[in-house]
Amino acid sequence: MIEPALLAKVIAHRGASGTAPENTLVAISKAHEAGATCVELDASISSDNIPFVHHDDSLERCTNGQGYLCAHTAEQLDAISADSGMREFAGEPLPRLSAAIALLSDLQMGLNLEIKPTPGLEEPTAHAVCNVVRDSWPSDLPLVLSSFSRESLAVARDELPGAARALIVCAVPSDWRHQTQLLQCRNLHMAAPLLNAEQATNILDAGLGLYCFTVNNVSEAKTLFAMGVHGVFSDYPEKMLNALS
Ligand code: G3P
Ligand code: MG
């Protein structure tokens, strides 16, 4: 029998990314200050297989670096600022996953860690992420490993069978039952605009947790909760938590 892996009704998407540079330590702290109990972060790997918290394959949008993240060593990435051009956060580091986990542990927050491999690095990215999680995630805090990549999820299933997993999709694929069973996922995470009420009912009846991204509009969140979704990923956790309380 599948049990949903419950996180929170409002998950701070890439941290409090609407008000702080996404996927940074300050975005985690801001999410905590906003009252969030859980964050979603993206993880990919350096050329020497160290996981960093970052969304894009390349560094330009969110950092002062250039080129592919996976083409740089961890030491090179440690020297990069990930302030997303927000002057008040100048010098904010590009965090290693280990640093993000240490902060979440201090703050006693839950984590949805999205394994975000650069194409071609699906397996090594998942291996490296699993190693850090195994070594440092506090077992008493909620954790879900998720990915769009089925190869990455298969590695996580085999290496960390006790950690909850979620398959991420945009639209619900026709083979969602088969894929979630094969990958032993407890949740389905999907794009909010592509969910309808009938799909929500079927997914929930199958025993899966159902979480939707990215929801920054309160009425959209209320519609999703009326369909039974367990939670939403929002860039503005403070606004969403205030409106839903
Ligand atoms: O994990 C949910 C969501 O973050 C997936 O999309 O592109 O924002 O990582 P993206
Ligand atoms: Mg993500």
Side-chain angles (χ1 to χ4, degrees):
M1 179 68 186
I2 301 171
E3 287 281 326
L6 297 177
L7 290 162
K9 275 187 84 171
V10 176
I11 299 166
H13 183 239
R14 311 180 193 173
S17 59
T19 50
E22 67 180 57
N23 280 317
T24 59
L25 300 182
V26 71
I28 295 171
S29 296
K30 294 278 180 195
H32 183 255
E33 287 168 23
T37 58
C38 182
V39 298
E40 185 263 2
L41 301 171
D42 306 291
S44 59
I45 50 169
S46 62
S47 59
D48 45 355
N49 290 313
I50 304 298
F52 278 77
V53 177
H54 193 64
H55 179 274
D56 298 0
D57 294 335
S58 57
L59 294 165
E60 279 82 354
R61 183 176 63 86
C62 298
T63 82
N64 61 354
Q66 290 185 327
Y68 281 94
L69 185 151
C70 65
H72 295 73
T73 63
E75 193 178 353
Q76 290 170 328
L77 294 172
D78 284 339
I80 281 177
S81 167
D83 55 40
S84 288
M86 299 167 87
R87 284 188 179 197
E88 65 199 285
F89 299 105
E92 180 66 26
L94 176 64
R96 294 188 182 211
L97 175 59
S98 56
I101 288 178
L103 178 57
L104 290 165
S105 178
D106 284 350
L107 298 174
Q108 291 287 288
M109 295 181 82
L111 173 62
N112 171 207
L113 183 57
E114 180 183 346
I115 305 170
K116 194 77 147 178
T118 295
L121 297 179
E122 290 81 4
E123 293 192 359
T125 302
H127 282 297
V129 166
C130 286
N131 285 338
V132 171
V133 166
R134 186 188 295 109
D135 288 348
S136 59
W137 184 255
S139 58
D140 58 329
L141 291 175
L143 172 71
V144 174
L145 299 177
S146 65
S147 192
F148 284 100
S149 164
R150 294 162 195 203
E151 293 108 302
S152 292
L153 286 172
V155 169
R157 175 198 61 200
D158 297 343
E159 291 206 358
L160 283 181
R165 284 171 298 285
L167 175 64
I168 311 177
V169 295
C170 288
V172 180
S174 57
D175 63 349
W176 64 271
R177 284 178 199 275
H178 175 68
Q179 288 297 333
T180 52
Q181 282 169 7
L182 185 70
L183 297 163
Q184 296 169 15
C185 290
R186 292 169 60 186
N187 288 1
L188 190 69
H189 296 177
M190 65 168 296
L194 300 177
L195 178 68
N196 65 44
E198 184 185 346
Q199 290 168 332
T201 300
N202 289 338
I203 292 163
L204 295 168
D205 284 352
L208 290 164
L210 180 57
Y211 288 82
C212 291
F213 58 88
T214 304
V215 182
N216 294 328
N217 177 291
V218 172
S219 67
E220 185 184 18
K222 288 182 175 170
T223 301
L224 292 162
F225 285 120
M227 286 188 210
V229 306
H230 291 100
V232 295
F233 298 94
S234 180
D235 301 331
Y236 296 92
E238 187 161 17
K239 175 178 93 170
M240 203 55 74
L241 284 164
N242 288 340
L244 296 172
S245 63

